[in-house]
Amino acid sequence: MGHLDHATFGWLTPALSYAMASIGAALGLRCTVRALNTNGPSRRNWLLTAASAIGTGIWTMHFVAMLGFGVTGTEIRYNVPLTLLSLLIAMVMVGAGVFAVGYGRGRPQALLIGGLTTGLGVASMHYIGMAALRLHGTIRYDPLMVTLSVVIAVVAATAALWAAVNIKTPGAVALASLVMGAAVSSMHYTGMFAVDVGVVPSGGRLPGATVMQFIFPLAVGLGSYLFLTSAFVALSPTVRERAAYVSAERSGARPSDSLRNPTEAQAAPSP
């Protein structure tokens, strides 16, 4: 049996993976809050952004954490199609969950369906990503720990979607995203502790790509996407800000005046 090391770079990869999960959760929750304040195509677009942010965040979290995963006695490679499939599964299933809540009008059934779908998407991403591993040996799982990891994923996803529906202030969203990041990280490492590898020494060449050939560049690219999208969301005006600008244009006042006192701006006579 090979010795498993989940942090070959020390605390760097766990800390960085937690940061990626938290950023993805914060961006996704913020986009969901924006979506619930709009209608029509705007709601759909915000929900799509939320799904891509959360899906990208959990995928990046998983594979950044996997950068620090090692097994004594064998090198590790990754099957490229399966790895990309794990990313697609994460985005599609998280998207289904987010849309269920976004168009569910606050119904508890929509929250439960969304949480279950999103949680199963997170778990599916994790275990499909693990299936992409190529090493000299066999991988076995502890069923109890696997079940626990799936339960954690579903509970965490449901709690995050509840927060998106019920929590509106930026500070509360930030706190919820930190909790969500911790929950996703807990799910990941619970799933990793379920792993047992039986190493079979071999001099043969493993198929697939090394972590630096494929996983690292893709994780950096998706991490950059998260940061750039976060900047876009932070700079885009809210519904209240857009209404204030429209009111200011109609009244002839400066937009900043309307934002400070939108009631006075609306009451001002039209030119």
Side-chain angles (χ1 to χ4, degrees):
M1 183 178 69
H3 172 70
L4 277 61
D5 189 348
H6 298 285
T8 58
F9 297 106
W11 284 101
L12 176 62
T13 49
L16 188 57
S17 64
Y18 170 70
M20 291 295 102
S22 298
I23 291 171
L27 180 56
L29 293 178
R30 195 63 187 153
C31 289
T32 304
V33 169
R34 294 283 190 98
L36 295 174
N37 291 326
T38 60
N39 292 293
S42 293
R43 173 171 290 195
R44 178 202 62 208
N45 293 339
W46 279 117
L47 290 175
L48 285 173
T49 305
S52 66
I54 297 173
T56 298
I58 61 175
W59 188 95
T60 306
M61 176 270 148
H62 172 82
F63 282 100
V64 166
M66 292 303 291
L67 292 175
F69 178 69
V71 181
T72 57
T74 178
E75 64 173 327
I76 296 176
R77 289 177 175 261
Y78 291 86
N79 178 282
V80 174
L82 272 180
T83 303
L84 294 177
L85 176 63
S86 70
L87 174 60
L88 178 63
I89 289 292
M91 288 190 173
V92 170
M93 294 193 70
V94 168
V98 168
F99 270 79
V101 170
Y103 288 98
R105 302 184 184 279
R107 293 193 298 267
Q109 299 93 324
L111 178 61
L112 293 175
I113 292 172
L116 180 62
T117 304
T118 303
L120 291 178
V122 173
S124 299
M125 178 280 302
H126 175 87
Y127 287 106
I128 291 174
M130 291 300 295
L133 263 66
R134 296 294 179 264
L135 47 76
H136 294 301
T138 58
I139 299 177
R140 296 179 295 273
Y141 293 93
D142 180 340
L144 180 60
M145 295 295 286
V146 170
T147 302
L148 179 59
S149 70
V150 175
V151 170
I152 292 173
V154 172
V155 172
T158 304
L161 293 176
W162 177 89
V165 173
N166 294 281
I167 294 177
K168 306 300 181 184
T169 63
V173 168
L175 179 60
S177 68
L178 293 176
V179 174
M180 179 61 178
V184 172
S185 297
S186 298
M187 177 270 156
H188 170 83
Y189 286 105
T190 301
M192 293 306 296
F193 289 143
V195 175
D196 179 30
V197 178
V199 174
V200 178
S202 172
R205 179 180 175 82
L206 288 169
T210 66
V211 68
M212 289 301 175
Q213 288 174 335
F214 176 58
I215 300 299
F216 180 72
L218 188 57
V220 169
L222 292 176
S224 300
Y225 162 78
L226 284 176
F227 282 107
L228 291 174
T229 307
S230 298
F232 166 76
V233 172
L235 294 174
S236 65
T238 64
V239 172
R240 177 179 177 273
E241 290 170 340
R242 284 196 299 270
Y245 273 87
V246 171
S247 176
E249 288 179 356
R250 290 176 178 174
S251 65
R254 291 177 300 174
S256 57
D257 294 336
S258 179
L259 284 172
R260 284 195 297 268
N261 195 340
T263 303
E264 289 181 5
Q266 291 174 359
S270 301

